[in-house]
Amino acid sequence: MARVTTTSAGLVRIGALIADETRAEILCALMDGRAHTGSELARHIGVSGSTVSEHLSKLCDADLLDVEAQGRHRYWRLRDPQVAGLLESLGARASSPADPRAPADLVHARTCYDHLAGELAVQIYERLLADGHLAEDGGDVAITPTGLELLAAIGADVDALRGAGRSAARPCLDWTQRRHHLAGAAGKELLRALIDNGWIKRGQRPRSVRITEAGRKSITRELGVAFR
């Protein structure tokens, strides 16, 4: 009988946790990068508070979630961007492009933990590459000087990007598009700038965002993305 390694045992444990539909729904809801209470998650998923509480504890014990107490409430969030990246990549490999099970608004634009995802994010990423603002090197991606200028022009914190080193930018495989969008510090700053500028606004549904009318014009003008 083959010996079970520590790595394979860990994969089995994480796989079993994610394979549960309710826990998968919790993880997907928390992919918006914000912290949520158990009651908020229960309402979103449509299960009881006690059921959500049990699943949250298991996910926290597996180091997939963090919990923070504020007064009477406990707020749950994904442990770190690496967990979000793992979930997004697994989703991309398990679904077909423009997965019909995903709501149309999430297919077009959504958050992926601390950065933008969906069709819009993929279009931005590919436009940045085509215009030389990002440079690919094997499986890595780097921000070019013109890329820093562009991000600064729309309000991103360029000093934070310069201090991020190799983690300043990285490609993230999009769940619905099966193409890459921008993650890392640059992806985080891009999302923050889009929100601060009022070009996109967060929706009521976890992870959902909507592009404002001013955002359509500005994103086309500044980032070169044409809207259908």
Side-chain angles (χ1 to χ4, degrees):
M1 183 175 178
R3 181 173 63 88
V4 177
T5 66
T6 301
T7 300
S8 62
L11 287 173
V12 169
R13 181 171 64 97
I14 296 299
L17 281 167
I18 297 176
D20 180 271
E21 186 172 351
T22 300
R23 288 195 287 270
E25 289 282 358
I26 290 171
L27 291 169
C28 286
L30 293 174
M31 285 280 287
D32 68 353
R34 293 181 287 183
H36 293 273
T37 65
S39 58
E40 289 171 340
L41 292 168
R43 285 194 299 270
H44 172 68
I45 298 170
V47 298
S48 69
S50 59
T51 297
V52 162
S53 179
E54 177 184 347
H55 289 302
L56 287 170
S57 295
K58 290 181 179 179
L59 292 169
C60 194
D61 289 343
D63 291 331
L64 295 177
L65 302 183
D66 274 337
V67 59
E68 181 178 348
Q70 291 282 350
R72 297 185 299 107
H73 300 290
R74 303 178 81 197
Y75 292 87
W76 304 82
R77 67 172 75 244
L78 294 184
R79 171 61 58 92
D80 52 40
Q82 285 70 39
V83 173
L86 168 66
L87 297 173
E88 187 79 3
S89 294
L90 286 174
R93 286 167 172 80
S95 61
S96 60
D99 193 329
R101 294 172 297 175
D105 58 337
L106 296 188
V107 171
H108 180 57
R110 65 184 183 277
T111 55
C112 174
Y113 192 62
D114 61 358
H115 57 273
L116 188 67
E119 182 183 12
L120 174 62
V122 168
Q123 287 180 306
I124 291 174
Y125 180 79
E126 293 178 350
R127 185 76 260 173
L128 293 174
L129 281 171
D131 291 345
H133 301 312
L134 293 175
E136 288 183 315
D137 181 12
D140 296 327
V141 65
I143 311 170
T144 66
T146 62
L148 290 173
E149 291 176 6
L150 175 64
L151 290 171
I154 66 172
D157 184 351
V158 174
D159 289 336
L161 302 184
R162 290 194 178 102
R166 291 180 61 85
S167 63
R170 63 177 180 81
C172 181
L173 186 62
D174 196 275
W175 158 48
T176 57
Q177 305 303 307
R178 287 198 174 182
R179 288 142 62 198
H180 289 116
H181 56 244
L182 181 63
K188 179 178 180 179
E189 278 300 308
L190 174 64
L191 175 61
R192 185 192 61 75
L194 294 177
I195 292 174
D196 288 352
N197 292 340
W199 298 353
I200 66 173
K201 293 184 180 294
R202 291 188 183 271
Q204 295 298 316
R205 188 206 312 266
R207 303 190 67 185
S208 67
V209 299
R210 65 177 180 85
I211 298 92
T212 65
E213 189 57 37
R216 287 177 177 271
K217 296 175 182 177
S218 299
I219 291 171
T220 297
R221 182 181 66 248
E222 302 294 338
L223 299 175
V225 173
F227 290 87
R228 292 195 298 271

